[in-house]
Amino acid sequence: MSTPIKVMIVDDHAIVREGLAMLLGEEAQIELVGEASNGLEAVTRVPLLQPEVILMDLMMPEMDGIAATAKIKAAYPECQVLVLTSFAEDQRVPAAIQAGAVGYLLKDVLKADLLRAIQAASRGEPTLHPEAQRQLMQQMVAPATPNLLDSLTEREMDVLRLIARGNSNKEIAAKLHLTEGTVKGYVSTILGKLQVADRTQAALYAVKNGVE
């Protein structure tokens, strides 16, 4: 028999993790090596658990799945991330793929399709939900945007670095000795200058363009 695929589950809902663990535990070709309840925890646990495939939710506290995917792929490129989320949103599909995810599935996926996707991911082969594929194709035909980091001030860059590290507005305020209201103003300005919809997109833009 072939060696079981080492899988890690990352989701902030315990019931989802338990359900997936029960489902995957029935499969001889899968070895569940561990779980994480948010992106930050996932990043710290990957070197300990050494999963081959990660089932990654996107909307999570501390650090979302897109930022976590980018950090994991940068440090452990051999680890494959398979997004498993509830929605195929316009911005999140291309963002997840650009961050390094090998596939994008919705949580209503059939068990057989999920298993096939995990097997494909272990080989580095992509699997996309039809809606995710449509969103990605739309993004591919859109004109490329220039690097907009040059439009940020030094203080805005400081805030962006902390956003990319998964810090909340309150945490950023404490670290930069600012009020939370001032940080909110900076975040709003940053989103406008980078032409992104939310802080997740800003974090991904920062990671992609080498902001540490």
Side-chain angles (χ1 to χ4, degrees):
M1 291 181 63
S2 59
T3 304
I5 301 167
K6 295 181 179 179
V7 175
M8 176 182 179
I9 300 169
V10 183
D11 198 294
D12 61 327
H13 292 101
I15 193 168
V16 174
R17 297 197 306 273
E18 290 171 5
L20 286 171
M22 184 177 299
L23 181 150
L24 297 178
E26 300 172 348
E27 302 302 319
Q29 71 268 37
I30 301 292
E31 178 187 354
L32 183 60
V33 295
E35 305 173 3
S37 60
N38 59 64
L40 184 60
E41 185 180 351
V43 171
T44 60
R45 300 203 72 190
V46 165
L48 302 175
L49 301 175
Q50 298 184 344
E52 297 171 79
V53 176
I54 299 176
L55 298 182
M56 180 77 75
D57 190 21
L58 293 186
M59 299 295 291
M60 296 181 291
E62 300 294 337
M63 180 187 293
D64 66 29
I66 292 175
T69 296
K71 290 181 178 296
I72 289 169
K73 291 298 293 183
Y76 309 98
E78 72 284 356
C79 181
Q80 300 296 341
V81 178
L82 181 60
V83 170
L84 185 61
T85 189
S86 299
F87 305 101
E89 299 177 5
D90 291 359
Q91 296 297 321
R92 294 189 179 277
V93 175
I97 301 303
Q98 290 166 8
V102 72
Y104 196 112
L105 297 177
L106 300 188
K107 287 181 178 177
D108 62 358
V109 64
L110 296 176
K111 176 181 178 179
D113 292 334
L114 176 59
L115 293 175
R116 278 193 291 268
I118 291 173
Q119 292 168 345
S122 71
R123 300 188 296 266
E125 300 171 2
T127 302
L128 295 175
H129 184 277
E131 178 60 21
Q133 189 170 13
R134 185 183 70 82
Q135 299 287 2
L136 188 60
M137 290 300 294
Q138 287 181 341
Q139 182 75 10
M140 289 177 63
V141 300
T145 57
N147 189 326
L148 302 174
L149 293 176
D150 291 341
S151 65
L152 301 185
T153 66
E154 183 176 347
R155 178 57 87 184
E156 288 164 355
M157 283 295 296
D158 291 339
V159 173
L160 180 59
R161 288 188 187 94
L162 293 174
I163 289 174
R165 294 170 188 167
N167 288 267
S168 66
N169 286 351
K170 184 176 181 179
E171 291 168 334
I172 294 172
K175 291 179 179 180
L176 297 182
H177 306 291
L178 301 170
T179 67
E180 195 168 346
T182 298
V183 172
K184 289 181 180 178
Y186 276 126
V187 172
S188 179
T189 299
I190 290 168
L191 298 184
K193 287 186 176 182
L194 297 185
Q195 301 175 17
V196 294
D198 54 38
R199 62 194 299 132
T200 297
Q201 290 294 304
L204 178 61
Y205 192 96
V207 172
K208 284 180 57 185
N209 288 279
V211 175
E212 297 291 341

